[in-house]
Amino acid sequence: MLVQRTCMLGFFLIFGIFELDAVYGYNRPPPRQNLFIPNADHSDLPQQVHISQVGENKMRISWITDSPTSPKVSYGPSPSANALSATGTTSSYRYLIYKSGQIHDVVIGPLNPNTVYYYRLGDPPSSETYSFKTPPSQPPIKFAVVGDLGQTDWTTSTLQHVAKSNYDMLILPGDLSYADFIQPLWDSFGRLVEPLASQRPWMVTQGNHEVEKIPILHSEPFTAYNARWHMPFEESGSDSNLYYSFDVAGVHVIMLGSYAKFHPSSPQYNWLKSDLQKVNRGKTPWVLVLIHAPWYNSNTAHQGEPESLEMKASMEDLLFKARVDVVFAGHVHAYERFTRVYKDKANNCGPVHITIGDGGNREGLANKYIDPKPAISMFREASFGHGTFEVFNASHARWTWHQNDNDEAVVSDSIWLTSFFSNPSCKQ
């Protein structure tokens, strides 16, 4: 393992400048200690277990073993977890000299909403029994929102706060593991988040730290991300794991790819246009969009990047015309909330833009902001933390940002929002 990590670190030092945001030279306060979570169990036991929603009543169970085993899940509403079973697929990938473990992927269901299920992995099943709770079919629902998570002591603090929030689903706008070419760090990240990600669905999209493309040596981007974090893109008519959508409890959630092609002739643009046209606001009165690189940003970090400026120029009209309620972004390692905005001006029929790239990454915080503060920026602070988005009904939701600078989840920003579905002045 040490040799493998040392070799990968060498490639990182040589080629990392092509992908990482270290080229943007803003000052950050010192980060906390980096973490590496080893595999303490036997090689034949499941590890890195996480779940994600598939359709409206199914769940994907993903896990890794070092040794080959059957991709089978036994599950049910009682702790015996033996009422039902499903079998899926197993895959693996190579990245330079690294070879992943056996990545198992099983979809189970149909499942009842707002119900606890127990499950066991493999055949014969492992000794450990896991459990998860399905989201509700209708509001209220609570989303945990966290970006740029990484693997540091700050990450641990954030995850502890999220675990106490009684959330139904976690949505993450990119930059998961910060493995940055060192593939064993993907394994470490999977072990780090398993206690939470095995109990509630985690729905993610990619960021720049997921690209992991090395000229000549490894030309395929997103290899580890696509292999390890299979999202339900097929069910939403997408051709790529980098962008997809799903419905949950009266909310239509759209995950976009800031590092996939997004211009008007691109597959992602055409998919987004089609997906927005299919939204039924009677069924899903709320529409959320997640991107990685923010379209609105008054921090000095990550200014002028094409993934922000060009994607905004290409897609902002689509989101505005569809009356998207909120856009969440990461990338900038700080928190910022904008008013409803469209084309750089306050607009009561535009989405609220929120940057929440403050999950705990190893690079520290982006603590310098443009002065004076733009009129459209309502709140900004360079602190680690997480957010919750609680949808109470078809018309009202509450956004809350919790900072964790002192290892306490302190509410620092909160706002009530009214959906466009219930706002006749903005109906198309």
Side-chain angles (χ1 to χ4, degrees), residues 206-264:
Q206 93 289 166
N208 54 306
H209 287 269
E210 276 73 65
V211 178
E212 296 188 308
K213 180 179 177 181
I214 302 177
I216 302 175
L217 295 180
H218 192 93
S219 59
E220 183 69 24
F222 305 110
T223 299
Y225 172 78
N226 284 334
R228 294 171 181 268
W229 290 85
H230 183 179
M231 293 291 110
F233 69 94
E234 303 96 335
E235 287 76 14
S236 61
S238 169
D239 65 343
S240 171
N241 194 48
L242 305 181
Y243 47 89
Y244 64 96
S245 68
F246 61 94
D247 293 340
V248 58
V251 184
H252 185 69
V253 182
I254 300 174
M255 299 284 197
L256 295 180
S258 295
Y259 300 89
K261 292 181 180 179
F262 45 68
H263 296 104

Side-chain angles (χ1 to χ4, degrees), residues 205-206 238-240 242-244 254-275 290-291 311 314-315 318:
T205 189
Q206 93 289 166
S238 169
D239 65 343
S240 171
L242 305 181
Y243 47 89
Y244 64 96
I254 300 174
M255 299 284 197
L256 295 180
S258 295
Y259 300 89
K261 292 181 180 179
F262 45 68
H263 296 104
S265 61
S266 67
Q268 180 176 203
Y269 181 96
N270 291 324
W271 170 83
L272 174 61
K273 183 177 179 180
S274 174
D275 187 80
L290 276 74
I291 57 178
M311 191 178 192
S314 177
M315 292 181 164
L318 293 180

Side-chain angles (χ1 to χ4, degrees), residues 21 26 28 147-148 173 175 178 208 259 292-303 305 308 329-336 355-359 361 363-369 381-383:
D21 60 0
Y26 52 89
R28 293 168 170 147
D148 298 70
D175 281 0
Y178 282 75
N208 54 306
Y259 300 89
H292 184 63
W295 296 356
Y296 289 91
N297 170 30
S298 74
N299 198 290
T300 59
H302 298 301
Q303 290 290 333
E305 295 181 12
S308 295
H331 200 39
V332 176
H333 300 159
Y335 172 74
E336 185 164 18
T355 299
I356 187 156
D358 56 354
N361 66 88
E363 296 172 329
L365 294 165
N367 63 345
K368 291 186 177 181
Y369 288 96
E381 184 174 322
S383 297

Side-chain angles (χ1 to χ4, degrees), residues 119-138:
Y119 63 104
R120 299 171 69 189
L121 305 173
D123 188 15
S126 63
S127 58
E128 183 167 359
T129 300
Y130 303 84
S131 67
F132 67 82
K133 181 175 172 288
T134 55
S137 60
Q138 297 294 329

Side-chain angles (χ1 to χ4, degrees), residues 5 29 46 49 54 58-59 121 185 200 258 273 278 285 287 292 302 317 331 385:
R5 292 184 67 195
V49 183
V54 178
K58 295 182 180 180
M59 205 70 71
L121 305 173
L185 287 177
R200 297 291 186 275
S258 295
K273 183 177 179 180
K278 296 174 185 176
V287 179
H292 184 63
H302 298 301
D317 282 346
H331 200 39

Side-chain angles (χ1 to χ4, degrees), residues 8 10 15 22 38 60 91 126 129 150 167-168 183 189 197 199 205 219 234 255 270 285 332 373 415 419 428:
M8 298 305 296
F15 296 107
R60 172 174 282 110
S91 64
S126 63
T129 300
Y167 71 102
D168 296 296
Q183 296 302 294
F189 179 78
Q199 296 187 56
T205 189
S219 59
E234 303 96 335
M255 299 284 197
N270 291 324
V332 176
K373 183 175 73 170
I415 184 175
S419 68
Q428 294 278 47

